[in-house]
Amino acid sequence: MKNEMKNEQAVSPVIATILMVAITVVLAGVLYVWANSLAADQPESGTRNSYTATDATASVSAADDDTLMRITWQHAEDDLNWAFVVMKLTVGDNTFDCSTGADEECSIAQDGGDDALWETGEFLTLSENGNDIASGTEEIGMYVTYRGTAVAGTSSVQVA
């Protein structure tokens, strides 16, 4: 009788151990799925879009409001939020910041429907904005990033 009681009492810790292992496995699985979904929801650091920049049809002069170039998408999968786009032009040792607002040396005009986005189907026109970036035939370097990663595209444009 004493052995039977010991066996009945011994069953309880075995069941408890099995339940603890099962709960731990289930909890680990739930945490894995949750962490994986959080990681998948994070935005990409860059984009696979690529652009082509060409000389605008207007000629450049000594004025400070010349139209410089036109940018179109060569390949576009994503609309890019302007808050995360950095666009710079270089001429010699001088660097000029571009923006869709009126506060930079280079102005970006867009033809899309949403001013907050560089949309996949739109083209951009870059113009001088109170600074004489190019007065004649000039090689203008381009630097474009999205979320800190370079966007593939034309690295320089000859404007005239």
Side-chain angles (χ1 to χ4, degrees), residues 48-102:
R48 288 188 270 198
N49 292 11
S50 62
Y51 65 89
T52 301
T54 57
D55 181 21
T57 55
S59 60
V60 293
S61 66
D64 62 4
D65 61 351
D66 296 324
T67 302
L68 301 172
M69 63 184 75
R70 178 183 165 118
I71 300 175
T72 57
W73 286 119
Q74 182 176 349
H75 172 79
E77 296 177 0
D78 309 309
D79 291 338
L80 305 187
N81 186 326
W82 281 113
F84 303 109
V85 175
V86 173
M87 188 177 294
K88 296 180 181 286
L89 302 180
T90 58
V91 177
D93 292 334
N94 299 315
T95 301
F96 304 94
D97 294 321
C98 299
S99 78
T100 57

